[in-house]
Amino acid sequence: MKPEAAARARDTLDLAPRFTEHDAVRLNRLFRGASTEEMLTSVIRDNLAGDLAVVSSFGAESAVLLHLVASVDPSVPVLFLDTGKHFAETLAYRDELAARLGLNLVVLVPDAEELAKRDESGLRWSYDPDGCCELRKVRPLEKALTNYDASFTGRKAFQAATRANLPRFELDTSDAAGRLKINPLIDWDAGQIEAYFIAHDLPRHPLIAAGYPSIGCSPCTSQVAPGEDPRSGRWKGLDKTECGIHKPGEEPLL
């Protein structure tokens, strides 16, 4: 090959998606019947999904996934969206878990100029919760995820009807780059989560005891009555079930 041809080959950009729907189906079939621990070990150590990160809210059940991933490889980045609206208890819990598990914590913050233009009062959550989530969560995470091929989430089927049919591996439908979302705990129930907390002596989020089984930003998180959907306290009274990082209805038919 001539030198100029080699140079042109090196300069060619690969614009193909990282993963396709076929890849998600293949991975779901590959790990059918495998335990969560087996799946995580293979995916992380065998590099089956490329560069990985965990997206964590450090909420009520986050310690389980964080402990599972850290047990395989504590260097996996853990992305935390510091929206500026978290409960103080959440920030303290984040720091406690990061220290105890030796997490590679990466704190993401909203763009300061954009916040100043579009949420100068800090009250956008009260009249445009979707816009607030877009500014403080969706955009910072989208920017950060350009560095990764796949992300682990803590979603579980029992949390809400909108999550009931999610698979372990899914293509991120909001991302043209073809990234994967991996849901290691999707088939875990509340009893398994509780048993894991006890078996590994994991600390609890302090707001759980106060009636918050699902914890997000403080202005949009309410207490939940016994017997209610664990996520019913999120954006209570609004036709909103997700912040925009995950979207209802994105469950693929596998």
Side-chain angles (χ1 to χ4, degrees):
M1 182 183 294
K2 293 181 180 180
E4 61 268 26
R8 285 198 299 273
R10 285 197 298 270
D11 290 340
T12 300
L13 294 177
D14 183 4
L15 299 178
R18 292 171 169 85
F19 296 97
T20 65
E21 191 70 46
H22 173 76
D23 294 316
V25 171
R26 177 180 57 82
L27 287 166
N28 279 308
R29 288 174 177 168
L30 178 64
F31 290 105
R32 186 174 293 161
S35 70
T36 300
E37 290 86 349
E38 290 170 338
M39 183 270 286
L40 283 171
T41 299
S42 293
V43 168
I44 295 172
R45 292 184 179 170
D46 297 338
N47 198 34
L48 297 184
D51 292 330
L52 297 162
V54 183
V55 179
S56 180
S57 66
F58 286 82
E61 298 161 349
S62 296
V64 172
L65 178 59
L66 293 172
H67 184 273
L68 283 163
V69 172
S71 297
V72 178
D73 184 358
S75 72
V76 174
V78 176
L79 309 183
F80 173 76
L81 289 155
D82 191 344
T83 63
K85 299 292 182 181
H86 283 294
F87 290 97
E89 290 89 341
T90 295
L91 300 179
Y93 186 58
R94 174 200 67 189
D95 294 342
E96 178 186 6
L97 277 180
R100 175 163 174 174
L101 302 180
L103 302 178
N104 178 14
L105 181 65
V106 179
V107 178
L108 310 177
V109 296
D111 182 85
E113 290 187 11
E114 195 171 21
L115 275 183
K117 291 177 182 177
R118 300 186 57 194
D119 194 11
E120 183 179 7
S121 68
L123 295 174
R124 195 176 188 100
W125 61 268
S126 64
Y127 61 88
D128 181 19
D130 287 336
C132 184
C133 288
E134 178 78 14
L135 285 169
R136 297 176 182 273
K137 290 185 176 182
V138 176
R139 292 191 182 181
L141 184 60
E142 283 180 347
K143 182 179 179 181
L145 285 179
T146 61
N147 298 312
Y148 304 99
D149 302 309
S151 60
F152 292 114
T153 86
R155 291 181 293 175
K156 292 164 282 292
F158 77 85
Q159 290 175 320
T162 55
R163 297 181 171 185
N165 298 315
L166 287 172
R168 276 178 165 177
F169 298 86
E170 59 176 321
L171 198 64
D172 188 343
T173 57
S174 65
D175 178 24
R179 293 186 186 87
L180 284 177
K181 284 183 181 179
I182 306 173
N183 308 305
L185 305 181
I186 197 63
D187 58 351
W188 286 42
D189 60 28
Q192 288 172 285
I193 296 292
E194 176 66 16
Y196 196 93
F197 264 97
I198 293 172
H200 298 278
D201 191 28
L202 295 175
R204 314 284 180 142
H205 194 299
L207 289 178
I208 296 173
Y212 295 86
S214 180
I215 303 159
C217 293
S218 58
C220 300
T221 303
S222 306
Q223 291 169 305
V224 172
E228 287 186 320
D229 187 311
R231 285 181 60 84
S232 64
R234 307 290 292 276
W235 306 285
K236 202 158 195 171
L238 299 176
D239 185 21
K240 180 175 171 66
T241 59
E242 299 283 2
C243 66
I245 292 172
H246 309 301
K247 296 179 176 63
E250 65 182 2
E251 301 89 335
L253 299 174
L254 297 179

